[in-house]
């Protein structure tokens, strides 16, 4: 399975999870069937949903429907809480015959387009859910279920529909895009330790180098070279934390040919040297 087709391991009895991400965490284009809400708690973030770039500031929320292709670019100094849940949680409770799939396709996903009072109510529910997750007091799962139902009811009754809803042919187009991106990500995953050229990766999905360059930038918001460098730096960060290899050995494992280039990219990405990063993460651990 490719690393960018996300399949969260959720409890079938309560398919729900909360993740706290800081701004240095980059999520490359992916999709999953679960509904996702992102609440920005600090700074601002830049993300893309179905080929469209967006920005969210502190206190703002976005709802991402299952099947939507999305990514979040690295946004240093920011922080976000991610809430994911599967619609199957509501299935046995849906005695009114509500069209839940249609609702999540139609609802306006960006809280800046809601009234501020409505945004504040949703934010309060999300904060309570996060605090329950952190405290884990007796019965917190019951409280989380209650809060999730409260959240859904409030969204259903109060949040407006967006002006334009993706048509079925647009969904098919998005899946075609995802399949091509997935092939690219598989290629990178398998070959990042060696030299990768634009021509090689373009050929791997049957595109010309010129078309591939435009295709990748349009659908991820960054150039392929930038993505590849970010991917390799992420691998280096993992090795710095989880191995005792020295920096030169790590560079030889991630496909960056020049030590000078590696140090420049790492400092640019993390704001510190590789050894400082290792020291900082070792203290945390």
């Amino acid at each position: 399975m490719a690393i960018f087709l996300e399949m969260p391991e959720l409890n079938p009895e309560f398919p729900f999870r909360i993740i706290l991400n800081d701004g240095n965490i980059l999520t490359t284009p992916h999709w999953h069937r679960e509904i996702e809400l992102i609440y920005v708690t600090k700074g601002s973030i830049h993300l893309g949903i179905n080929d469209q770039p967006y920005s969210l500031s502190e206190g703002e929320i976005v709802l991402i429907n299952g099947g939507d292709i999305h990514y979040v670019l690295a946004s240093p100094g920011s922080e976000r809480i991610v809430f994911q849940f599967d619609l199957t949680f509501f299935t046995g409770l849906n005695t009114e015959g509500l069209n839940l799939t249609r609702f999540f396709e139609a609802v306006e996903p960006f809280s800046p387009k809601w009234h501020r009072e409505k945004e504040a109510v949703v934010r309060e529910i999300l904060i309570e859910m996060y605090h329950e997750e952190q405290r884990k007091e007796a019965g917190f799962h019951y409280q989380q279920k209650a809060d999730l139902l409260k959240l859904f009811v409030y969204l259903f009754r109060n949040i407006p529909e967006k002006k334009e809803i993706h048509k079925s042919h647009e969904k098919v187009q998005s899946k075609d895009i995802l399949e091509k991106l997935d092939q690219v990500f598989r290629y990178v995953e398998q070959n990042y330790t060696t030299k990768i050229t634009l021509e090689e990766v373009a050929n791997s999905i049957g595109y010309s180098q010129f078309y591939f360059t435009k295709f990748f930038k349009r659908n991820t918001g960054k150039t392929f070279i930038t993505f590849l460098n970010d991917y390799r730096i992420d691998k280096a960060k993992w090795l710095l934390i989880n191995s005792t290899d020295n920096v030169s050995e790590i560079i030889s494992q991630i496909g960056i040919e020049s030590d000078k280039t590696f140090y420049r990219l790492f400092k640019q990405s993390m704001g510190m040297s590789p050894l400082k990063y290792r020291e900082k993460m070792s203290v945390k651990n």
Side-chain angles (χ1 to χ4, degrees), residues 64-203:
I64 301 170
N65 191 26
D68 284 349
I69 302 167
H70 56 287
Y71 60 87
V72 181
L73 300 178
S75 307
S78 69
E79 184 180 77
R80 61 191 184 269
I81 306 175
V82 180
F83 302 79
Q84 291 180 336
F85 59 89
D86 196 313
L87 280 181
T88 56
F89 171 68
F90 299 99
T91 302
L93 306 172
N94 188 14
T95 56
E96 298 179 54
L98 303 176
N99 189 332
L100 304 185
T101 300
R102 197 269 171 191
F103 166 72
F104 282 105
E105 288 178 348
V107 69
E108 170 53 55
F110 292 96
S111 69
K113 296 184 179 182
W114 310 342
H115 291 299
R116 288 189 177 277
E117 296 80 5
K118 295 177 181 179
E119 180 185 64
V121 171
V122 174
R123 185 165 55 238
E124 186 176 320
I125 297 172
L126 295 178
I127 291 172
E128 175 57 28
M129 294 171 79
Y130 177 70
H131 286 165
E132 282 291 338
E133 177 75 15
Q134 294 301 298
R135 293 191 296 257
K136 287 186 168 57
E137 296 175 350
F140 83 97
H141 268 150
Y142 289 108
Q143 185 60 56
Q144 283 189 324
K145 290 179 181 180
D147 288 336
L148 186 55
L149 289 169
K150 181 180 179 180
L151 172 68
F152 169 72
V153 171
Y154 190 85
L155 292 172
F156 190 83
R157 291 178 175 176
N158 295 280
I159 305 306
E161 291 189 357
K162 54 191 171 185
K163 294 180 179 179
E164 295 183 7
I165 301 175
H166 285 290
K167 305 299 182 182
S168 58
H169 71 275
E170 292 176 316
K171 285 288 186 180
V172 171
Q173 183 184 26
S174 291
K175 288 182 180 179
D176 290 341
I177 291 170
L178 177 64
E179 287 176 1
K180 287 297 185 183
L181 287 175
D182 182 45
Q183 290 178 44
V184 174
F185 299 148
R186 284 178 183 269
Y187 187 88
V188 170
E189 185 180 19
Q190 294 166 3
N191 298 283
Y192 74 91
T193 59
T194 62
K195 183 178 180 180
I196 297 176
T197 67
L198 276 173
E199 182 179 9
E200 289 169 343
V201 72
N203 287 340

